[in-house]
C-alpha cells in the first residue's frame, strides 16, 4: 500500500515540482489548494509528466471547517508538506493583514488537523528571508534570525515558532526547510513558475522580457557593495529543491530525525549577482536582453548565500543543477507557455 501524502499549495510553483517527485517515488498524493495563485490545469501537467494523476481537493485552508473536512476525507495520511501561503514580499508590505491571516490561519488549521488525525510527519516551507541581511556569509542554520523586513518574512518566522511550540507540546515531528532563491522549471517544460499577473521575481521577469511580453528588465541597483554592484542571491533549481522535500519527509517516515524539529538551509552555497544571472541567460540562449539600470528596490538585502554543510551531511542532500541549467530550463518553460496560450 503506497503511503499517502498531503501537499498543500501543490498546484503552485515549488509544490507542483514536489508532487512530481513524490509520484515518481510511488507515493499517493493529495493536493489541497485554493487556486488563488495557481491553475488546476497544473494537475493535468503533473499527470503528463508522471503518468499518475494526483487527487486534487480545492480547499480554502483558512476555513477551519473546510480543512477539517479535508482531513476527515483523507484520514490515512502518512505525512504533510505545507507550501500553501501568499509569498510576494512587496505585496505583503501593502496588504499585511491578508498575509498574516492567510499564512498563519492556514498553518494553524493544518496543524489542528494533523493533531486530530495523529499525523506527525510535517515538512514546512520556510525561507532564507528569516535571516534578513546576515552579518556573516555564508549563512548557517544557527545564524541569528533578524527582525523580518516584510510581513511575508515575518509570517515565515512566526510559522517556524508556531510549529516549534506545537511540536514540543505534542511530541510532533517537523522539518523546516529554508529556501534560498528557487528558479528554473521541470526539464519537461510542462510545469514551471506561473504567477497569476505580473511576477515579482527576477528570473520570470527575465524570460518574459526575452520573449517579448515585457519591453525591458529593470536592474534594481548597481551601487551595492558587491563586485559588479548588483545584489547577490543563492539561486537554486526548483527540481533540486523539490527533491530535498522527499528526502526530508523520508527522514521522518523512517524515524531518522535527531530532534523533534530540524531546520535545513536549501541553497547551492554559491552566490550570483543579478548581472551574472542576466549574462548566464544571454550566454545560454543567445538572446540579448534589454535591461536598464535603475534605483534600488526597497526591502532588498545586499547579499546572501547558504552554508549548505548541514543539509549536505545531515540530510544527505546536495543541489546538483548549474546556473546555466536553471536559466535554460526557465527559458524552455517560457517558450512552452507561449506555444500553449
Ligand atoms: C532577486 C534579485 C532584486 C526583479 C525571493 C522571494 C522570497 C524568498 C527569497 C522564498 C534582487 C533583483 C528582481 C527585477 C531586479 N523566497 N531584481 N529586477 O527578493 O531575493 O526574494 O527569494 O521564500 O519569497 O521573493 O528575489 O527574484 O525578487 O530578486 O534587479 O525586475 O533580483 O533586486 O536583488 P528576492 P527576487
Amino acid at each position: 500500500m503506497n503511503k499517502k501524502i498531503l501537499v498543500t499549495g501543490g498546484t503552485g510553483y515549488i509544490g507542483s515540482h514536489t508532487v512530481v517527485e513524490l509520484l515518481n517515488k510511488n507515493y499517493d498524493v493529495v493536493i489541497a489548494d485554493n487556486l488563488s495563485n495557481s491553475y488546476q490545469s497544473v494537475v493535468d501537467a503533473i499527470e503528463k509528466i508522471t503518468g499518475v494523476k494526483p487527487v486534487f481537493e480545492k480547499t480554502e485552508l483558512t476555513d477551519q471547517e473546510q480543512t477539517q473536512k479535508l482531513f476527515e476525507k483523507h484520514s490515512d495520511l502518512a505525512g504533510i508538506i505545507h507550501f500553501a501561503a501568499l509569498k510576494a514580499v512587496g505585496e505583503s508590505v501593502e496588504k499585511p493583514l491578508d498575509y498574516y491571516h492567510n499564512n498563519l490561519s492556514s498553518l494553524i488549521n493544518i496543524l489542528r488537523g494533523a493533531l486530530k488525525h495523529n499525523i506527525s510527519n510535517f515538512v514546512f516551507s520556510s525561507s532564507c528571508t528569516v535571516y534578513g541581511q546576515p552579518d556573516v556569509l555564508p549563512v548557517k542554520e544557527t545564524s541569528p534570525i533578524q527582525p523580518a523586513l516584510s510581513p511575508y518574512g515575518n509570517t515565515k518566522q512566526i510559522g517556524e515558532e508556531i510549529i516549534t511550540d506545537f511540536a514540543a507540546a505534542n511530541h510532533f515531528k517537523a522539518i523546516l526547510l529554508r529556501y534560498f532563491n528557487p528558479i528554473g522549471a521541470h526539464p519537461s517544460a510542462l510545469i514551471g513558475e506561473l504567477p497569476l499577473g505580473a511576477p515579482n521575481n527576477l528570473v520570470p521577469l527575465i524570460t518574459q522580457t526575452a520573449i517579448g511580453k515585457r519591453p525591458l528588465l529593470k536592474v534594481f541597483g548597481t551601487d551595492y557593495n558587491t563586485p559588479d554592484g548588483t545584489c547577490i542571491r543563492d539561486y537554486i533549481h526548483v527540481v533540486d529543491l523539490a527533491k530535498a522535500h522527499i528526502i526530508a519527509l523520508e527522514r521522518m517516515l523512517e524515524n531518522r530525525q535527531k530532534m523533534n524539529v530540524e531546520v535545513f538551509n536549501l541553497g547551492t552555497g554559491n552566490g550570483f549577482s543579478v548581472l551574472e544571472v542576466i549574462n548566464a541567460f544571454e550566454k545560454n540562449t543567445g538572446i540579448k536582453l534589454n535591461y536598464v539600470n535603475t534605483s534600488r528596490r526597497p526591502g532588498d538585502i545586499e547579499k546572501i548565500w547558504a552554508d549548505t554543510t548541514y543539509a549536505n551531511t545531515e540530510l544527505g542532500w546536495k543541489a546538483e543543477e548549474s546556473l546555466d541549467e536553471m536559466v535554460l530550463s526557465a527559458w524552455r518553460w517560457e517558450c512552452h507557455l507561449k506555444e500553449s496560450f
Side-chain angles (χ1 to χ4, degrees):
M1 185 72 173
N2 295 344
K3 287 186 166 58
K4 186 191 275 190
I5 306 299
L6 171 63
V7 180
T8 72
T11 49
Y13 176 38
I14 304 166
S16 57
H17 286 81
T18 301
V19 169
V20 165
E21 298 307 321
L22 282 167
L23 294 174
N24 287 343
K25 292 206 74 180
N26 297 319
Y27 287 95
D28 290 341
V29 174
V30 176
I31 292 176
D33 204 301
N34 66 2
L35 300 178
S36 65
N37 194 26
S38 59
Y39 300 88
Q40 190 166 344
S41 58
V42 169
V43 177
D44 302 321
I46 290 169
E47 184 182 13
K48 271 194 199 141
I49 296 169
T50 63
V52 179
K53 187 165 191 169
V55 171
F56 176 75
E57 303 282 5
K58 189 171 185 299
T59 319
E60 182 43 70
L61 295 170
T62 58
D63 180 305
Q64 194 164 346
E65 193 180 335
Q66 283 192 42
T67 309
Q68 282 171 349
K69 286 202 171 71
L70 173 75
F71 279 94
E72 282 153 16
K73 183 174 178 184
H74 300 285
S75 56
D76 54 343
L77 294 170
I80 300 168
I81 304 181
H82 182 51
F83 291 103
L86 296 175
K87 63 137 194 152
V89 174
E91 184 187 53
S92 77
V93 174
E94 294 157 19
K95 303 175 181 174
L97 293 184
D98 291 356
Y99 273 69
Y100 287 115
H101 170 67
N102 184 81
N103 292 5
L104 299 181
S105 60
S106 55
L107 172 61
I108 290 166
N109 287 340
I110 287 288
L111 292 176
R112 286 190 195 284
L115 182 60
K116 186 172 179 187
H117 296 274
N118 196 29
I119 304 155
S120 171
N121 300 308
F122 188 82
V123 180
F124 179 64
S125 164
S126 189
S127 167
C128 66
T129 47
V130 303
Y131 298 115
Q133 174 57 68
D135 299 327
V136 176
L137 288 170
V139 66
K140 295 177 185 291
E141 288 82 357
T142 51
S143 296
I145 302 298
Q146 309 234 28
L149 296 172
S150 70
Y152 163 77
N154 208 19
T155 65
K156 289 302 180 183
Q157 286 183 11
I158 298 168
E160 290 193 2
E161 290 163 9
I162 290 172
I163 294 163
T164 302
D165 291 346
F166 174 81
N170 300 288
H171 308 294
F172 188 80
K173 291 190 290 185
I175 290 183
L176 315 176
L177 299 177
R178 291 178 181 162
Y179 309 156
F180 283 69
N181 284 56
I183 63 170
H186 191 266
S188 67
L190 292 175
I191 53 174
E193 195 165 1
L194 189 56
L196 268 61
N200 295 290
N201 294 129
L202 175 66
V203 170
L205 286 165
I206 286 177
T207 58
Q208 288 190 6
T209 301
I211 207 152
K213 280 184 187 170
R214 300 176 171 281
L216 57 82
L217 174 82
K218 291 178 182 174
V219 173
F220 294 140
T222 56
D223 59 348
Y224 286 99
N225 179 24
T226 61
D228 65 17
T230 63
C231 291
I232 294 173
R233 295 289 185 275
D234 185 332
Y235 296 96
I236 175 171
H237 198 295
V238 65
V239 173
D240 278 331
L241 194 65
K243 288 176 177 173
H245 289 74
I246 317 313
I247 292 171
L249 177 73
E250 291 179 344
R251 179 179 173 88
M252 290 188 279
L253 290 174
E254 295 160 15
N255 293 309
R256 286 186 274 111
Q257 268 190 297
K258 293 180 178 163
M259 295 180 289
N260 259 15
V261 178
E262 294 179 319
V263 183
F264 294 98
N265 282 343
L266 296 186
T268 66
N270 303 311
F272 287 107
S273 73
V274 173
L275 288 179
E276 285 174 318
V277 175
I278 292 171
N279 294 339
F281 179 82
E282 292 182 329
K283 181 188 77 174
N284 283 280
T285 61
I287 295 170
K288 180 81 185 76
L289 198 68
N290 184 24
Y291 66 89
V292 291
N293 297 333
T294 63
S295 54
R296 296 183 176 193
R297 179 173 68 174
D300 274 338
I301 62 167
E302 182 170 80
K303 50 194 170 193
I304 187 168
W305 59 92
D307 180 316
T308 60
T309 312
Y310 187 51
N312 299 157
T313 56
E314 193 54 47
L315 201 52
W317 166 88
K318 184 168 173 55
E320 293 164 1
E321 299 297 341
S322 65
L323 179 65
D324 291 340
E325 177 48 32
M326 293 181 214
V327 293
L328 255 182
S329 65
W331 178 237
R332 286 194 290 261
W333 164 243
E334 189 68 58
C335 295
H336 168 79
L337 282 176
K338 183 173 184 178
E339 292 147 23
S340 315
F341 288 98

